[in-house]
Amino acid sequence: MTKRLELDGNKMIHHLDRVQDWKAGKVINPIYIAFSPTSLCNHKCTFCVYHYKEFKPIFFPTARYEELVQEWSALQVKSLFFAGDGEPLLHKDAIQMVQKTRSAGIDIAMNTNGRLLTKEKAEVLAKDLDWIRVSVNGGSAKNYGKIHQTSEKDFEIVLANLQELVRQKKNQNAKIVIGAQCVLLNENQQEIETLAKLLKEIGVDYFAVKPFLKHPLTEWETELENRQEIIQRLLKLESLNTDSFKFVLRESHFQTIPKRAYSKCLSGDFMIEVDAKGDVYSCGPYIGDESHRYGNILEQSFEKMWNSEECRSKMKKIQCHLDVSKCMPFCRPDSVNKFLWDLKNPPEHLNYI
């Protein structure tokens, strides 16, 4: 199950029909949509990339969402990822929305802090999600509470909820991949080994550790002390790996940030972000930036918005004029952009394979 786990690459080669249409200059529909059921969050993690914006209690209308999944299915959108700038499970109808997405034939996954999982929710999610990733950023109750800016009791609750999710997976013989992820900080680096062993014992499929990446508009920042020493120590945790558990240090993200291998952001046709207000953006780090807002899908169909002059114009401006050197490093579209850039700018002597 974890042998083919791919966290940092892309799968564009498996969508060559759409890639070819894009290369030919046709308007294509997105393959992947990151969606925020709500802009509200019950945790206030110190490192959160969305600290530059307010966490207002905005909830996407359920009835409109149920219409949208039918529209997206007809347009051959392949996958939806519940994440964005809030905690998905704070939406009272989040589980119903997951079920509607699956029944519409669209793949569905979720990013969550796991605090609001219950037995009933876990039963549905284990059946309907392709994968779930739970954010756990401390290996002790005290540190978890400090980093997540929540009650220390939440640590044990989240671990128990993960255990219930694993139990539901086994009971249903479900295919869901259950992962946990941690942002490596000075505040938690001594607890990673403890946390990895704990998560393995619980039965999650993988535990990934990634660096803190600063959004230009956030004030909080941190710098790992003895960075290389810590990385080398954590790499040893790969000894925990088995056929059913994988420890993943996203090592490439810890290296010196390289110059991007592309000069244009070309991914906007293939992957987009929708916030709880129904605004559609080129990607998550630009939520709230009007120049990256394609339109809104509460008052009009997705297809009408997607084919509108406003959307096409802004997408073209982003692709032509965005200075990608100023974008967040290792952004979600990064590997997709590398693929598309190479396709648009082939090397010399192409036939010498």
Side-chain angles (χ1 to χ4, degrees):
M1 180 182 308
T2 56
K3 290 179 181 178
R4 296 291 292 161
L5 183 67
E6 177 60 80
L7 295 181
D8 297 319
N10 70 80
K11 305 175 181 74
M12 294 294 284
I13 197 170
H14 300 286
H15 300 280
L16 292 181
D17 54 343
R18 212 163 302 194
V19 170
Q20 289 298 333
D21 285 345
W22 171 82
K23 189 179 179 185
K26 298 178 182 179
V27 174
I28 62 166
N29 296 316
I31 295 171
Y32 160 93
I33 297 174
F35 176 78
S36 300
T38 178
S39 60
L40 192 63
C41 193
N42 53 334
H43 287 181
K44 297 293 181 286
C45 300
T46 54
F47 57 83
C48 181
V49 70
Y50 290 110
H51 271 318
Y52 69 89
K53 61 179 291 298
E54 294 182 71
F55 291 92
K56 295 182 179 179
I58 300 171
F59 299 89
F60 196 94
T62 304
R64 177 63 185 128
Y65 181 82
E66 293 181 357
E67 293 173 350
L68 274 168
V69 291
Q70 298 303 321
E71 293 178 33
W72 286 332
S73 178
L75 294 172
Q76 296 188 304
V77 170
K78 301 296 185 183
S79 65
L80 274 160
F81 176 39
F82 276 21
D85 56 338
E87 164 54 45
L89 292 177
L90 275 172
H91 195 296
K92 65 181 181 64
D93 295 324
I95 302 302
Q96 177 183 330
M97 293 161 88
V98 167
Q99 291 174 308
K100 291 291 184 180
T101 308
R102 177 59 69 189
S103 65
I106 301 175
D107 293 344
I108 177 75
M110 180 181 290
N111 196 66
T112 174
N113 59 44
R115 173 60 178 82
L116 300 176
L117 274 170
T118 62
K119 181 178 180 181
E120 293 73 24
K121 291 176 182 177
E123 184 176 1
V124 174
L125 296 182
K127 177 173 66 72
D128 286 341
L129 292 182
D130 290 305
W131 53 269
I132 189 169
R133 186 166 60 225
V134 179
S135 180
V136 186
N137 297 282
S140 65
K142 183 177 181 179
N143 217 19
Y144 177 93
K146 182 178 179 181
I147 294 170
H148 282 251
Q149 294 291 288
T150 188
S151 168
E152 293 180 8
K153 295 178 182 178
D154 281 7
F155 179 66
E156 294 297 337
I157 293 172
V158 169
L159 294 182
N161 290 345
L162 268 170
Q163 201 162 29
E164 178 60 34
L165 196 57
V166 170
R167 186 180 300 114
Q168 290 294 337
K169 174 181 178 175
K170 291 178 179 177
N171 288 348
Q172 299 180 45
N173 194 27
K175 294 181 179 180
I176 183 175
V177 174
I178 302 171
Q181 183 165 269
C182 174
V183 175
L184 182 62
L185 309 168
N186 277 319
E187 294 87 343
N188 63 19
Q189 55 95 3
Q190 292 288 350
E191 298 181 343
I192 300 298
E193 181 175 0
T194 299
L195 183 56
K197 291 177 178 177
L198 190 56
L199 291 168
K200 180 179 180 179
E201 183 179 346
I202 286 173
V204 304
D205 296 301
Y206 72 89
F207 174 42
V209 176
K210 69 174 187 177
F212 165 73
L213 298 173
K214 189 179 186 312
H215 189 286
L217 297 179
T218 56
E219 295 182 4
W220 193 86
E221 55 186 299
T222 185
E223 184 64 37
L224 276 181
E225 300 169 7
N226 304 316
R227 183 187 187 90
Q228 291 305 315
E229 179 183 319
I230 293 170
I231 291 171
Q232 291 306 309
R233 170 163 52 84
L234 294 183
L235 281 171
K236 295 178 182 178
L237 295 181
E238 291 178 352
S239 63
L240 295 172
N241 291 358
T242 64
D243 287 343
S244 58
F245 175 81
K246 189 173 183 180
F247 173 82
V248 183
L249 182 67
R250 298 172 77 165
E251 189 180 0
S252 64
H253 288 201
F254 287 96
Q255 298 170 3
T256 301
I257 297 174
K259 181 180 178 181
R260 292 179 189 264
Y262 52 91
S263 62
K264 304 292 182 185
C265 181
L266 303 174
S267 62
D269 296 87
F270 295 90
M271 52 196 305
I272 56 172
E273 191 101 12
V274 180
D275 73 6
K277 294 185 291 185
D279 288 328
V280 181
Y281 290 94
S282 60
C283 70
Y286 285 102
I287 286 180
D289 186 333
E290 187 63 27
S291 66
H292 283 258
R293 177 184 172 274
Y294 295 155
N296 186 281
I297 50 175
L298 288 185
E299 304 299 331
Q300 60 182 324
S301 71
F302 179 84
E303 187 172 17
K304 184 176 181 180
M305 184 282 302
W306 190 244
N307 290 286
S308 69
E309 183 178 345
E310 178 185 11
C311 179
R312 295 294 108 195
S313 174
K314 286 187 176 179
M315 191 178 294
K316 185 176 181 179
K317 286 181 181 178
I318 291 168
Q319 292 178 351
C320 292
H321 302 298
L322 179 66
D323 184 354
V324 296
S325 68
K326 296 180 180 179
C327 291
M328 283 186 67
F330 306 112
C331 59
R332 192 171 288 153
D334 185 52
S335 62
V336 173
N337 278 322
K338 290 176 185 175
F339 175 89
L340 295 173
W341 181 259
D342 287 344
L343 191 65
K344 280 276 193 179
N345 301 273
E348 291 188 63
H349 312 136
L350 190 62
N351 294 330
Y352 291 86
I353 60 175

